[in-house]
Each structure stands twice: as C-alpha cells, then as structure tokens.
Amino acid sequence: GNSVTQMEGPVTLSEEAFLTINCTYTATGYPSLFWYVQYPGEGLQLLLKATKADDKGSNKGFEATYRKETTSFHLEKGSVQVSDSAVYFCALSLNNDMRFGAGTRLTVKP
Amino acid sequence: DVKVTQSSRYLVKRTGEKVFLECVQDMDHENMFWYRQDPGLGLRLIYFSYDVKMKEKGDIPEGYSVSREKKERFSLILESASTNQTSMYLCASITPGGSNQPQHFGDGTRLSIL
C-alpha cells in the first residue's frame, strides 16, 4: 500500500540555521506530495505541494522537490526563525487515498 | 478561504459515555474525513464520507461511528468512550478535484476520557 516515512524528531536548531526534514514515500502509482505544518494548538495547514516529478513546491522560504528516482520529498529552509517552531507532516495523495508521515517536531531557539 | 470548524477545542468525558464530535465546513466540499492524531503515529484515518449519508471505514474505525445527514456537517461518535480513545481528533474536507488537492483541516478537538 501507500505510505510515507519521515525523519524522527524532535529537531532543535538555532535561529538562522539550515533545516532539512527528510521524507520518502512508497506508492503504487504517481502521487501528489504535500508538506503540512501544525502550529501549537492548531490543525494542519498546507505549507507546500508538488504534483509531478521534478516539481518544486515553495512557500514562506520552505522548499521541497519531488524526486521520483529516489521517491523523496525532503523539506528545506535556508534560515529558520523561532516562529517556524511547529510539527511538520509529509503526506501523499493518490486515487483519493491520503497518507501522512508521523510528523517531525521542530524547535528553533533564539 | 475554506473554513472547517470543530465544535469543541477541549472535551473531557467519562468512560462509557457516548461522545459526539461535530465538524462543519463552509465550502460545499463533498469529501470529509475524521482522523486521530497521536504522538509518533501521525494521523490515522477513522472514517470518511464522499457524500451525504455515505460513509466508509478508514484504518481504525473500531469503537467509532459517523453521521453525515447534511453535506456541510460530519459527526464522529464514540459509542462508549474508553480511555484509549483519549487523543486529538482532526476533521478535514477536500474538494473532489483529483489527488492534487490538499485537505483543509479544523483546529482539532483534544478529547480526554477519564
């Protein structure tokens, strides 16, 4: 079946550090890929998405590239801020089946 | 913007009670979902619905049921609450536009069963 594996957290970084959160997927076809963010006390919000191979999704300084050859969709940001502290979920969607990773908690310290 | 509203942010109930969690969306979406979120497990799908009066079991439906009497409202029911149902519950909706559409989430209901 379809599934998503993302790096375990928690991840703690200093402000302005570089962020990578790894995400790989298994799917029976060609899914759409998403990153969602969950701030404390809130539901999930879409951060970015990519719908086909080699697409790059970007938003708020975050980027992720859909790599079919490595079945990956790693999240990156060049310089994190304290306000980026949240839980990040990688997800795939294929034929109305949406699967989420376990989530990675990011804490950014000033 | 799509608005998905869950009726309660926090709820405390007792073992054996019948519990109702309500979710309403305002964008005429046909597809609605209920998940539970637990640390280290991510989101797990409980039930979903593609239309009024239609429901399908997700990955962990045991101990739960749902109701979809109107298009905008999707209710999750814990028939007889147990302590292992203490969790964060998230409702989501999506427009049927293929798999490239994101889901829209409510703010969640943190349910504690004592």
Side-chain angles (χ1 to χ4, degrees):
Chain A
N2 304 323
S3 66
V4 175
T5 302
Q6 62 182 101
M7 65 184 279
E8 292 185 21
V11 174
T12 303
L13 296 173
S14 297
E15 205 164 25
E16 298 183 3
F18 184 85
L19 169 72
T20 300
I21 300 177
N22 290 337
C23 171
T24 57
Y25 68 88
T26 301
T28 54
Y30 299 106
S32 293
L33 301 174
F34 305 85
W35 277 101
Y36 287 86
V37 59
Q38 184 181 35
Y39 298 105
E42 299 182 10
L44 277 68
Q45 304 173 22
L46 177 67
L47 180 60
L48 54 84
K49 71 175 187 180
T51 59
K52 61 183 188 296
D54 300 325
D55 266 2
K56 177 186 280 188
S58 62
N59 186 24
K60 299 181 182 180
F62 291 88
E63 293 182 340
T65 301
Y66 190 142
R67 301 286 188 201
K68 190 176 74 171
E69 63 276 11
T70 54
T71 62
S72 65
F73 193 53
H74 305 320
L75 183 68
E76 296 182 338
K77 186 174 186 181
S79 176
V80 294
Q81 305 301 312
V82 172
S83 57
D84 294 327
S85 297
V87 181
Y88 292 82
F89 291 90
C90 184
L92 69 80
S93 180
L94 181 63
N95 299 327
N96 290 319
D97 181 29
M98 180 160 265
R99 298 287 163 175
F100 292 83
T104 302
R105 181 176 298 277
L106 170 67
T107 301
V108 180
K109 297 188 173 181
Chain B
D1 262 0
V2 177
K3 184 72 173 175
V4 179
T5 303
Q6 295 184 229
S7 55
S8 304
R9 295 296 299 273
Y10 301 93
L11 210 51
V12 180
K13 296 291 182 181
R14 296 203 173 275
T15 303
E17 280 192 71
K18 191 169 186 176
V19 181
F20 293 86
L21 303 183
E22 307 287 347
C23 175
V24 176
Q25 48 91 8
D26 65 359
M27 282 301 290
D28 205 34
H29 285 173
E30 286 161 4
N31 302 352
M32 297 186 74
F33 307 80
W34 274 107
Y35 296 92
R36 65 176 282 175
Q37 180 184 1
D38 299 288
L41 297 177
L43 274 68
R44 293 181 291 168
L45 182 63
I46 304 172
Y47 267 96
F48 60 99
S49 170
Y50 288 151
D51 204 348
V52 175
K53 297 193 185 294
M54 178 271 178
K55 59 185 178 185
E56 292 285 346
K57 293 180 180 179
D59 298 321
I60 52 163
E62 296 78 20
Y64 303 94
S65 63
V66 290
S67 173
R68 185 103 183 261
E69 295 297 319
K70 293 184 177 181
K71 191 174 185 179
E72 67 270 20
R73 185 180 297 272
F74 191 36
S75 303
L76 180 69
I77 304 158
L78 284 65
E79 297 291 344
S80 177
S82 64
T83 55
N84 63 11
Q85 293 177 309
T86 291
S87 187
M88 168 73 95
Y89 290 87
L90 292 167
C91 175
S93 72
I94 188 173
T95 185
S99 294
N100 61 353
Q101 298 301 315
Q103 293 188 355
H104 299 268
F105 285 84
D107 284 340
T109 296
R110 188 166 292 283
L111 175 64
S112 296
I113 307 297
L114 304 180

